[in-house]
Amino acid sequence: MSLSVLAIAALTLPATAASTCDLADGLPLDPAVFNQEVSACYDSQGDSKQDARLERQLIDATDRVRADQNKAALVPLASLEQAARIHAMDMAARDYAGHADPEGRSHLERVRMIDRTVLIGAAGANIAIVEGEHDAADLFGALRHDPVNADNMTRSAFTHTGIGVATGNGRTYIVQLFARVDGQLQAPLPVHISGNENIRATFEDKGLQPVAWRLTSPAGDTIARGYGSTMTGSLQPGQQAYLTLDIARNNTEFAIRGPIVTGQ
């Protein structure tokens, strides 16, 4: 079996109406239109029982490996699955291999464009590209072929997962995403914002305390910062920014990542 494997396990940061799936020119840059095309692409493949069965079998295989090391099973998260499958489909459609798409967007950026409530503290991903079509056992073997991939599968830091499978160019593309979900916004954050927005959140660990919120540019620069559960930073029309919450546990402060927003 000829295969090519990529692996990553690191924190990362992350155009009107598209109603059809056309990945020849990539996915739109505007988050709202991006999500419309993702939905169209996902719906066009969502009834593929074969792909869905393979994805479920790969999650089950991962959980068996974790159980062997006394690690908790991973919780499937719909937005991780969507981000994984759209990246697999995009690689198949545009014939490339990589954790970032040709536009430079990372896995976590795609998740932050899709999910409007999740707050992620850690993220990682495995990619395997295999010649031909194979059953779940072969695909799982391809994912575990790289030691970093195998390590990702059993990291205690991860709580959630999503797997996407797509075929094209005589190959099978597998994307496996992982995340530690530290919390959820109580209300979905709109893609387009023009004023104050509620960012009240609940956290998985009751010992977590919010410190501040930030809006950061795609390049990572801070655009606005404030305190409390209302985001007051304003954006220029069309300007994009990611919501980041600074939180503390005891005397340790760290950041968790939320959705992307666009000024209107």
Side-chain angles (χ1 to χ4, degrees):
M1 180 172 60
S2 175
L3 58 89
S4 172
V5 180
L6 301 168
I8 190 170
L11 293 181
T12 54
L13 289 180
T16 270
S19 57
T20 60
C21 178
D22 181 8
L23 294 174
D25 58 352
L27 288 157
L29 297 177
D30 180 270
V33 187
F34 175 95
N35 282 323
Q36 290 171 9
E37 187 161 352
V38 166
S39 295
C41 290
Y42 198 81
D43 289 345
S44 72
Q45 299 293 323
D47 59 355
S48 172
K49 294 182 179 180
Q50 175 66 14
D51 287 348
R53 182 165 56 250
L54 283 173
E55 291 162 2
R56 181 66 257 180
Q57 289 171 334
L58 291 172
I59 291 176
D60 290 343
T62 300
D63 283 338
R64 286 194 294 271
V65 170
R66 290 178 66 87
D68 288 342
Q69 296 192 17
N70 297 315
K71 304 290 177 63
L74 296 169
V75 179
L77 183 63
S79 55
L80 292 179
E81 179 189 285
Q82 286 186 311
R85 189 183 289 187
I86 196 62
H87 189 55
M89 293 173 66
D90 190 38
M91 287 193 293
R94 295 198 279 171
D95 193 16
Y96 72 92
H99 288 285
D101 61 24
E103 291 71 37
R105 289 171 295 206
S106 69
H107 295 292
L108 189 50
E109 285 178 298
R110 286 183 284 274
V111 175
R112 297 173 81 179
M113 293 179 83
I114 292 169
D115 201 310
R116 309 312 305 167
T117 62
V118 72
L119 299 170
I120 292 175
N126 296 338
I127 291 178
I129 301 170
V130 183
E131 297 294 335
E133 296 186 24
H134 299 271
D135 62 17
D138 286 342
L139 298 182
F140 191 67
L143 282 170
R144 284 187 60 79
H145 181 78
D146 185 280
V148 180
N149 282 2
D151 184 60
N152 277 347
M153 292 181 181
T154 57
R155 287 183 62 186
S156 299
F158 297 141
T159 58
H160 291 69
T161 192
I163 294 180
V165 176
T167 55
N169 313 304
R171 303 183 184 98
T172 301
Y173 298 77
I174 314 105
V175 179
Q176 182 176 35
L177 300 186
F178 306 93
R180 186 187 75 233
V181 175
D182 284 319
Q184 301 275 342
L185 297 177
Q186 292 183 0
L189 189 62
V191 172
H192 294 114
I193 62 172
S194 57
N196 297 347
E197 296 292 343
N198 173 26
I199 54 169
R200 188 179 300 277
T202 57
F203 302 107
E204 297 296 320
D205 183 342
K206 302 305 181 184
L208 295 179
Q209 296 294 325
V211 176
W213 56 264
R214 287 181 283 135
L215 287 176
T216 58
S217 72
D221 300 321
T222 298
I223 298 171
R225 190 173 191 267
Y227 305 92
S229 59
T230 299
M231 185 174 67
T232 57
S234 61
L235 299 175
Q236 298 297 318
Q239 184 180 18
Q240 294 184 3
Y242 291 97
L243 172 65
T244 297
L245 299 186
D246 295 319
I247 59 174
R249 182 192 294 113
N250 299 325
N251 294 322
T252 302
E253 186 174 318
F254 60 98
I256 54 178
R257 277 73 173 173
I260 192 174
V261 291
T262 300
Q264 69 175 12

